[in-house]
Structures are given as C-alpha cells and as structure tokens.
Amino acid sequence: MATINENYSKLAAGYLFPEIGRRVSAFTQENPDANVIRLGIGDVTEPLPAACVAAMHKAVDDMSVRDSFRGYGPEQGYEFLRTAIVEHAFKPRGVEIAADEVFISDGSKCDTGNILDIFGADNTVAVMDPVYPVYVDTNVMAGRTGAAGKDGRYEGLVYVPVTAENDFVPSLPDEPVDLIYLCYPNNPTGTVASRETLKQWVDYARAHDAIIFFDAAYEAYITDPEIPHSIYEIEGARDVAIEFRSFSKNAGFTGTRCAYTVIPKELTGKTSTGEDQPIHPLWNRRHCTKFNGVSYPIQRAAEAVFTPEGQQQINELIQFYLTNAGLIREGLESAGITVYGGVNAPYVWLKTPGGAGSWDFFDQLLSKGHLVGTPGSGFGAAGEGYFRLSAFNSRENIEQAVERFQRVVG
Ligand SMILES: *Cc1c(COP(=O)(O)O)cnc(C)c1O
C-alpha cells in the first residue's frame, strides 16, 4: 500500500499565486476585452542583459564542438562562476568567502526549500509575518508544523510580526527558536534591515545555537549605502548563517534559472547527542546526491553578470525597476495612500484605503481598475489590511497602473 506524505494535506488553501490566477482568469473570461495590468507575481519583464546573451550564445557554440563540449559539470558549479561570485559579489564589500563555500543551483526557491533536508525535524522555526510563502510551505511539507488555524498560521511555527506598528523591524522571539528565516530587502514589504537589526539576530543565533537562513535575492536593489548587502557583513555571521542569492531579480534570470547558496565552513549544527556537526559537508552531500548541476551555457551567462558590461547592464535594469517603484510610491502617496518599501526593493507595500480587507481590495482593483496586485494577507495574518504592488513591468504599464489605481481609490 503506497501511502502519501500527509503533511501535504495540511497546506492551507493552496499557494497564493494560483488563487490570484483563478480570480484573474474568472474576471477575464467575463470581461474578455479588459486590458488587465499585472503587478501581482514578482516576475521580471525586461529582456536579459546583452552580456549574458552573448556569453550564452558562445557557450552553446562551445557545446557544438568536440574539443570544447562539456558533459556533466561539477555538481557544486563550475570554478569560473564560483570564483567570479566571491571576487565580485562579496570581496568588494569586505566579505571573505571561499569559492568552495558557494554552491551553484537552479534557483533560490529550490535552495530555501531543499536546505531543510539536512536539518532535524524537531527544530523550532521562526518566520516573519508577512513572509515569502515558500519558507512556510516547505516546512509544512517537511512535517515541522501542525495544522493551520483559521488565520492561516500553522501550529508549531513561530511568527514574528513585521508591520507599520514596529516600523517593519522584527523583534527577537520570546521563545527559543533554532532556524530563522530572514529576507532582506524584504519580499513582500520592500523594507530593509539595518546593520543593528541584523547584528541583533546574529547575536541571538550565536547565543542560542540557532541558524539564520538569509535570503538576499534582492540585494542588488539596495540604494542606501548604510544597508548591508550580505549577512556576512555582520561580525560573527559566518558561524551562524547561510545566505541564498539568485540571478533572478538582478539579471532577469527568472526563466533562465541560476542561483547560489553560501555555506561557511565554520557553520555547525548539533547532533542528537549535542556534538557540533559542520553543515558544509552535509549540504555538499545533499547537493551532489540530488542535483547534477546547472547547465554550462547558463553558468557562462551568469558569469557574464560580473563583467564590466554585465555590471553596467544589470545596473541599468535595476535602475529601471527602481524608477518604476518610485513612480508607484509617488502616485499612491499623492492619492493619500500610506506606502512602504519601493526604495531599496522592487516592491511597494501599502495600507489598503479605508482599512479594506486585502482580498476585498484585490477584487476592487481588479474589477474597477483592471489591475492585479497581491493581497497582503496572502503572505501571512499580519499582512491583512496591506497590499503589494510589484515594480516589474514596462514603464507604460506602470504609468497606466498608477492612473488606474488613483481612479479606483479617488
Ligand atoms: C524571487 C525570489 C527568490 C528567487 O528565486 P529563484 O528560484 O532564484 O528564481 C528568492 N527569494 C525570494 C524572497 C524571492 O522573491
């Protein structure tokens, strides 16, 4: 008798974005002529940087010639890419990472889920609320939670609220936790963590033998020079933190697929008998057993991100999206909306007008403005009464969207 992993049955009402998709397609079926602008799901819209495209073309040509053909590469990624990452993404910020501490993968979504394989089922997990749903759902699937309550919160997880009331600064949990997810710049709120905030969490992790999962998918959007880009800019973080990075949002690789995870060699977890066990060999074992590497042309494309042309091109892309975010911020503020984020991140997080429920506001924007955003409550109970707009779209659509938004709330 083949039984199933019943933890999947605990998952509440499905993933957020399918529900949005369902409502949007119901609307477009009834209103086939409506030109719906989608600022919902956080996916890039602009084409790949030319430097990446050229490198990918060249790598495809390499594959067509016996002498330069490549079969299986190293599971952890090619040396050329691991070295480019430590030299260009970390060293200029004063962070020393060894190339063999970098594991190349096909995405941070997969990495943040897969990392749970190497941690015990009895860890207590802390997530921010609102939160990137992948962190929560992968813990549910792994059996680290009980059932979901009415508010969608799972029994057994520790939720740390981040709202306007605490200026989006998460306070340390008042019960002990072992694994902590931090995402900065933050999806969904678009807010950032100061050096002091990150230091508090690193100190907490050091004092409690906890491990921080630091998701830095949006680090390239940081414009404020005081804000750290990497958790390893914080003293002592190498002993307690794993960092996830991706080429999805800085170089538009959402459909190309390349990311990486940094596991410092000092990082340890505990065995059931209380001994320290290095995490690096565990992740290496997991990665090599269940993954066979990112394709060679894609790794060459990712390497090209770090060339001078690549850097200039990704800076232009990021500037483009940040200008979009600024237009959304200003347009909403002038309509009397309270907005957060959008300065060091491609997301604007707003208070729904008149205290409307997140899903009610979603339906209102869709039906009256033909505009799709993401209900804050879909990211967690503390997101109720908030709403997320993404800056990933064409300039024309962003300008149109702002006008429509103003019309709906005006
Ligand atoms: C987009 C995003 C990622 C990147 O995921 P990929 O699988 O690398 O495309 C990671 N974390 C967060 C919070 C994101 O929004």
Short mmCIF file of all heavy atoms in Angstrom, two decimals, residues 42-43 105-112 131-135 183-188 215-218 244-249 253-255 257-260 347 388 392, ligand 1:
data_model
loop_
_atom_site.label_atom_id
_atom_site.label_comp_id
_atom_site.label_asym_id
_atom_site.label_seq_id
_atom_site.Cartn_x
_atom_site.Cartn_y
_atom_site.Cartn_z
N GLY A 42 5.88 38.51 -8.57
CA GLY A 42 7.15 39.22 -8.72
C GLY A 42 8.03 38.61 -9.79
O GLY A 42 9.03 37.96 -9.49
N ASP A 43 7.65 38.82 -11.04
CA ASP A 43 8.49 38.30 -12.13
C ASP A 43 8.96 39.45 -13.00
O ASP A 43 8.19 40.37 -13.29
CB ASP A 43 7.69 37.29 -12.97
CG ASP A 43 8.58 36.51 -13.92
OD1 ASP A 43 9.82 36.68 -13.89
OD2 ASP A 43 8.03 35.70 -14.70
N SER A 105 23.19 26.66 -8.04
CA SER A 105 21.95 25.87 -8.18
C SER A 105 21.06 26.48 -9.24
O SER A 105 21.41 27.50 -9.84
CB SER A 105 21.20 25.85 -6.85
OG SER A 105 20.53 27.09 -6.69
N ASP A 106 19.90 25.87 -9.43
CA ASP A 106 18.96 26.40 -10.42
C ASP A 106 17.90 27.29 -9.79
O ASP A 106 16.89 27.59 -10.42
CB ASP A 106 18.32 25.25 -11.21
CG ASP A 106 17.56 24.30 -10.32
OD1 ASP A 106 17.63 24.45 -9.08
OD2 ASP A 106 16.89 23.38 -10.83
N GLY A 107 18.11 27.75 -8.56
CA GLY A 107 17.15 28.71 -8.01
C GLY A 107 17.18 28.79 -6.50
O GLY A 107 17.45 27.81 -5.82
N SER A 108 16.88 29.98 -6.00
CA SER A 108 16.83 30.15 -4.55
C SER A 108 15.53 29.59 -3.96
O SER A 108 15.47 29.26 -2.79
CB SER A 108 16.90 31.63 -4.18
OG SER A 108 18.22 32.08 -4.27
N LYS A 109 14.49 29.53 -4.80
CA LYS A 109 13.26 28.92 -4.30
C LYS A 109 13.56 27.48 -3.92
O LYS A 109 13.23 27.03 -2.82
CB LYS A 109 12.17 28.98 -5.36
CG LYS A 109 10.81 28.56 -4.86
CD LYS A 109 9.89 28.30 -6.05
CE LYS A 109 8.47 28.71 -5.73
NZ LYS A 109 7.58 28.45 -6.87
N CYS A 110 14.21 26.76 -4.85
CA CYS A 110 14.55 25.36 -4.56
C CYS A 110 15.52 25.28 -3.38
O CYS A 110 15.37 24.45 -2.49
CB CYS A 110 15.19 24.66 -5.76
SG CYS A 110 14.95 25.48 -7.32
N ASP A 111 16.53 26.16 -3.36
CA ASP A 111 17.54 26.07 -2.29
C ASP A 111 16.91 26.30 -0.91
O ASP A 111 17.23 25.59 0.04
CB ASP A 111 18.65 27.10 -2.52
CG ASP A 111 19.62 26.69 -3.62
OD1 ASP A 111 19.56 25.53 -4.07
OD2 ASP A 111 20.46 27.52 -4.02
N THR A 112 16.04 27.32 -0.81
CA THR A 112 15.46 27.60 0.50
C THR A 112 14.54 26.46 0.95
O THR A 112 14.38 26.22 2.14
CB THR A 112 14.67 28.93 0.53
OG1 THR A 112 13.70 28.91 -0.52
CG2 THR A 112 15.58 30.13 0.36
N VAL A 131 5.39 36.94 5.09
CA VAL A 131 6.58 36.18 4.70
C VAL A 131 6.43 35.62 3.28
O VAL A 131 5.32 35.41 2.79
CB VAL A 131 6.79 35.03 5.72
CG1 VAL A 131 5.70 33.99 5.61
CG2 VAL A 131 8.16 34.35 5.56
N TYR A 132 7.57 35.38 2.63
CA TYR A 132 7.63 34.66 1.35
C TYR A 132 7.07 33.25 1.61
O TYR A 132 7.62 32.52 2.44
CB TYR A 132 9.09 34.61 0.92
CG TYR A 132 9.45 33.95 -0.39
CD1 TYR A 132 8.84 34.29 -1.59
CD2 TYR A 132 10.49 33.01 -0.43
CE1 TYR A 132 9.23 33.70 -2.78
CE2 TYR A 132 10.89 32.42 -1.62
CZ TYR A 132 10.26 32.77 -2.79
OH TYR A 132 10.65 32.19 -3.97
N PRO A 133 5.95 32.88 0.97
CA PRO A 133 5.23 31.66 1.37
C PRO A 133 6.06 30.36 1.27
O PRO A 133 5.75 29.39 1.95
CB PRO A 133 4.05 31.60 0.38
CG PRO A 133 3.90 32.98 -0.16
CD PRO A 133 5.25 33.62 -0.12
N VAL A 134 7.08 30.36 0.44
CA VAL A 134 7.90 29.15 0.25
C VAL A 134 8.51 28.67 1.57
O VAL A 134 8.56 27.46 1.84
CB VAL A 134 9.02 29.44 -0.78
CG1 VAL A 134 9.97 28.25 -0.91
CG2 VAL A 134 8.42 29.80 -2.14
N TYR A 135 8.94 29.60 2.43
CA TYR A 135 9.57 29.19 3.69
C TYR A 135 8.58 28.40 4.54
O TYR A 135 8.93 27.39 5.16
CB TYR A 135 10.04 30.39 4.51
CG TYR A 135 10.87 31.44 3.80
CD1 TYR A 135 10.86 32.76 4.25
CD2 TYR A 135 11.68 31.13 2.71
CE1 TYR A 135 11.62 33.74 3.64
CE2 TYR A 135 12.44 32.10 2.09
CZ TYR A 135 12.40 33.41 2.55
OH TYR A 135 13.13 34.39 1.95
N CYS A 183 14.71 37.70 5.20
CA CYS A 183 14.75 38.04 3.78
C CYS A 183 14.89 39.55 3.66
O CYS A 183 13.96 40.28 4.01
CB CYS A 183 13.46 37.56 3.11
SG CYS A 183 13.31 38.09 1.38
N TYR A 184 16.06 40.01 3.21
CA TYR A 184 16.31 41.45 3.08
C TYR A 184 17.15 41.77 1.86
O TYR A 184 18.16 41.11 1.67
CB TYR A 184 16.99 42.00 4.34
CG TYR A 184 16.02 42.05 5.49
CD1 TYR A 184 16.12 41.15 6.54
CD2 TYR A 184 14.98 42.97 5.49
CE1 TYR A 184 15.22 41.18 7.58
CE2 TYR A 184 14.06 43.00 6.52
CZ TYR A 184 14.19 42.10 7.57
OH TYR A 184 13.28 42.13 8.59
N PRO A 185 16.75 42.81 1.09
CA PRO A 185 15.49 43.54 1.13
C PRO A 185 14.31 42.58 1.09
O PRO A 185 14.39 41.53 0.46
CB PRO A 185 15.54 44.42 -0.12
CG PRO A 185 17.01 44.63 -0.38
CD PRO A 185 17.64 43.34 0.02
N ASN A 186 13.25 42.98 1.76
CA ASN A 186 12.17 42.05 2.04
C ASN A 186 11.15 41.92 0.91
O ASN A 186 10.72 42.90 0.32
CB ASN A 186 11.46 42.47 3.33
CG ASN A 186 10.45 41.45 3.78
OD1 ASN A 186 9.25 41.61 3.61
ND2 ASN A 186 10.93 40.37 4.34
N ASN A 187 10.82 40.68 0.63
CA ASN A 187 9.63 40.35 -0.13
C ASN A 187 8.66 39.78 0.90
O ASN A 187 9.02 38.80 1.55
CB ASN A 187 9.95 39.31 -1.20
CG ASN A 187 8.74 38.91 -2.00
OD1 ASN A 187 7.68 39.47 -1.85
ND2 ASN A 187 8.92 37.90 -2.85
N PRO A 188 7.50 40.34 1.14
CA PRO A 188 6.75 41.28 0.30
C PRO A 188 6.84 42.77 0.67
O PRO A 188 6.33 43.58 -0.10
CB PRO A 188 5.32 40.83 0.54
CG PRO A 188 5.31 40.41 1.98
CD PRO A 188 6.66 39.77 2.20
N ASP A 215 17.98 35.25 3.03
CA ASP A 215 17.62 35.30 1.60
C ASP A 215 17.89 36.71 1.09
O ASP A 215 17.19 37.65 1.45
CB ASP A 215 16.13 34.93 1.46
CG ASP A 215 15.69 34.82 0.00
OD1 ASP A 215 16.39 35.35 -0.89
OD2 ASP A 215 14.62 34.22 -0.24
N ALA A 216 18.92 36.82 0.24
CA ALA A 216 19.35 38.13 -0.26
C ALA A 216 19.03 38.28 -1.74
O ALA A 216 19.76 38.94 -2.49
CB ALA A 216 20.84 38.32 0.01
N ALA A 217 17.91 37.69 -2.17
CA ALA A 217 17.56 37.72 -3.60
C ALA A 217 17.49 39.13 -4.17
O ALA A 217 17.70 39.34 -5.36
CB ALA A 217 16.22 37.01 -3.81
N TYR A 218 17.19 40.12 -3.30
CA TYR A 218 17.01 41.49 -3.80
C TYR A 218 18.16 42.43 -3.42
O TYR A 218 18.00 43.65 -3.46
CB TYR A 218 15.67 42.04 -3.29
CG TYR A 218 14.49 41.25 -3.81
CD1 TYR A 218 13.92 40.23 -3.06
CD2 TYR A 218 14.00 41.49 -5.09
CE1 TYR A 218 12.88 39.47 -3.56
CE2 TYR A 218 12.95 40.75 -5.58
CZ TYR A 218 12.39 39.74 -4.82
OH TYR A 218 11.36 38.99 -5.32
N PHE A 244 21.38 32.89 0.79
CA PHE A 244 20.85 32.49 -0.51
C PHE A 244 20.87 33.70 -1.43
O PHE A 244 20.40 34.78 -1.07
CB PHE A 244 19.40 32.01 -0.37
CG PHE A 244 19.26 30.85 0.56
CD1 PHE A 244 18.88 31.03 1.89
CD2 PHE A 244 19.51 29.55 0.12
CE1 PHE A 244 18.75 29.95 2.75
CE2 PHE A 244 19.38 28.47 0.98
CZ PHE A 244 19.01 28.67 2.30
N ARG A 245 21.39 33.49 -2.63
CA ARG A 245 21.40 34.56 -3.63
C ARG A 245 20.94 34.01 -4.96
O ARG A 245 21.07 32.81 -5.21
CB ARG A 245 22.80 35.14 -3.78
CG ARG A 245 23.24 35.91 -2.55
CD ARG A 245 23.84 37.19 -2.99
NE ARG A 245 24.38 37.93 -1.86
CZ ARG A 245 25.18 38.98 -2.00
NH1 ARG A 245 25.57 39.36 -3.21
NH2 ARG A 245 25.60 39.64 -0.95
N SER A 246 20.47 34.90 -5.82
CA SER A 246 19.89 34.46 -7.08
C SER A 246 20.20 35.46 -8.18
O SER A 246 20.35 36.65 -7.91
CB SER A 246 18.38 34.34 -6.90
OG SER A 246 17.76 34.08 -8.13
N PHE A 247 20.29 34.98 -9.41
CA PHE A 247 20.42 35.88 -10.56
C PHE A 247 19.05 36.27 -11.11
O PHE A 247 18.96 36.98 -12.11
CB PHE A 247 21.26 35.21 -11.65
CG PHE A 247 22.70 34.98 -11.25
CD1 PHE A 247 23.13 33.75 -10.78
CD2 PHE A 247 23.63 36.02 -11.32
CE1 PHE A 247 24.45 33.55 -10.39
CE2 PHE A 247 24.95 35.83 -10.94
CZ PHE A 247 25.37 34.59 -10.47
N SER A 248 17.98 35.81 -10.47
CA SER A 248 16.64 36.05 -11.00
C SER A 248 16.26 37.52 -11.04
O SER A 248 15.73 38.01 -12.03
CB SER A 248 15.60 35.30 -10.15
OG SER A 248 15.61 33.93 -10.48
N LYS A 249 16.49 38.24 -9.93
CA LYS A 249 15.97 39.59 -9.84
C LYS A 249 17.00 40.64 -10.24
O LYS A 249 16.65 41.73 -10.64
CB LYS A 249 15.41 39.85 -8.43
CG LYS A 249 14.47 38.77 -7.91
CD LYS A 249 13.21 38.61 -8.73
CE LYS A 249 12.42 37.33 -8.45
NZ LYS A 249 12.29 36.87 -7.08
N PHE A 253 17.03 36.53 -14.54
CA PHE A 253 17.16 35.10 -14.83
C PHE A 253 15.97 34.26 -14.35
O PHE A 253 16.12 33.06 -14.16
CB PHE A 253 18.44 34.55 -14.15
CG PHE A 253 19.70 34.70 -14.96
CD1 PHE A 253 19.96 35.86 -15.69
CD2 PHE A 253 20.66 33.69 -14.99
CE1 PHE A 253 21.14 35.99 -16.42
CE2 PHE A 253 21.83 33.81 -15.71
CZ PHE A 253 22.08 34.96 -16.43
N THR A 254 14.80 34.86 -14.15
CA THR A 254 13.69 34.06 -13.61
C THR A 254 13.35 32.89 -14.53
O THR A 254 12.99 31.82 -14.05
CB THR A 254 12.44 34.92 -13.35
OG1 THR A 254 12.12 35.61 -14.57
CG2 THR A 254 12.65 35.93 -12.25
N GLY A 255 13.49 33.09 -15.85
CA GLY A 255 13.24 31.99 -16.78
C GLY A 255 14.51 31.30 -17.23
O GLY A 255 14.44 30.31 -17.96
N ARG A 257 17.26 30.59 -14.91
CA ARG A 257 17.49 29.76 -13.74
C ARG A 257 18.95 29.62 -13.32
O ARG A 257 19.69 28.78 -13.84
CB ARG A 257 16.88 28.34 -13.90
CG ARG A 257 15.46 28.25 -14.40
CD ARG A 257 14.46 29.03 -13.58
NE ARG A 257 14.50 28.68 -12.17
CZ ARG A 257 14.31 29.58 -11.19
NH1 ARG A 257 14.07 30.85 -11.46
NH2 ARG A 257 14.36 29.19 -9.94
N CYS A 258 19.38 30.45 -12.43
CA CYS A 258 20.68 30.26 -11.78
C CYS A 258 20.69 31.02 -10.45
O CYS A 258 20.18 32.15 -10.38
CB CYS A 258 21.83 30.75 -12.67
SG CYS A 258 23.43 30.09 -12.16
N ALA A 259 21.22 30.38 -9.44
CA ALA A 259 21.27 30.97 -8.10
C ALA A 259 22.44 30.33 -7.36
O ALA A 259 23.15 29.49 -7.93
CB ALA A 259 19.95 30.70 -7.36
N TYR A 260 22.65 30.75 -6.13
CA TYR A 260 23.69 30.08 -5.33
C TYR A 260 23.43 30.23 -3.85
O TYR A 260 22.73 31.15 -3.41
CB TYR A 260 25.10 30.57 -5.68
CG TYR A 260 25.32 32.06 -5.62
CD1 TYR A 260 25.90 32.66 -4.50
CD2 TYR A 260 24.99 32.88 -6.69
CE1 TYR A 260 26.14 34.03 -4.47
CE2 TYR A 260 25.22 34.24 -6.66
CZ TYR A 260 25.79 34.82 -5.55
OH TYR A 260 26.01 36.17 -5.52
N TYR A 347 9.41 46.29 -4.67
CA TYR A 347 8.04 46.12 -4.19
C TYR A 347 7.59 47.31 -3.39
O TYR A 347 8.35 47.84 -2.58
CB TYR A 347 7.91 44.87 -3.31
CG TYR A 347 8.23 43.60 -4.05
CD1 TYR A 347 9.31 42.81 -3.68
CD2 TYR A 347 7.45 43.20 -5.14
CE1 TYR A 347 9.61 41.64 -4.38
CE2 TYR A 347 7.75 42.04 -5.84
CZ TYR A 347 8.83 41.27 -5.45
OH TYR A 347 9.12 40.13 -6.15
N ARG A 388 0.44 44.39 -1.91
CA ARG A 388 1.75 44.54 -2.55
C ARG A 388 1.60 44.85 -4.03
O ARG A 388 0.83 44.19 -4.73
CB ARG A 388 2.58 43.26 -2.40
CG ARG A 388 4.04 43.45 -2.82
CD ARG A 388 4.80 42.12 -2.90
NE ARG A 388 4.43 41.38 -4.10
CZ ARG A 388 5.00 40.23 -4.49
NH1 ARG A 388 5.94 39.68 -3.73
NH2 ARG A 388 4.62 39.63 -5.59
N PHE A 392 7.91 45.35 -11.34
CA PHE A 392 8.39 44.62 -12.51
C PHE A 392 7.36 44.74 -13.63
O PHE A 392 6.40 43.95 -13.71
CB PHE A 392 8.58 43.14 -12.19
CG PHE A 392 9.72 42.85 -11.23
CD1 PHE A 392 9.49 42.13 -10.07
CD2 PHE A 392 11.01 43.28 -11.50
CE1 PHE A 392 10.53 41.83 -9.20
CE2 PHE A 392 12.06 42.99 -10.64
CZ PHE A 392 11.81 42.27 -9.48
C1 LIG B 1 12.28 35.85 -6.45
C2 LIG B 1 12.73 35.39 -5.12
C3 LIG B 1 13.76 34.45 -5.00
C4 LIG B 1 14.46 33.91 -6.22
O1 LIG B 1 14.00 32.68 -6.53
P1 LIG B 1 14.61 31.88 -7.76
O2 LIG B 1 14.15 30.49 -7.53
O3 LIG B 1 16.12 32.01 -7.67
O4 LIG B 1 14.07 32.48 -9.02
C5 LIG B 1 14.15 34.07 -3.74
N1 LIG B 1 13.59 34.58 -2.64
C6 LIG B 1 12.61 35.48 -2.71
C7 LIG B 1 12.04 36.03 -1.46
C8 LIG B 1 12.15 35.90 -3.96
O5 LIG B 1 11.15 36.79 -4.01
#
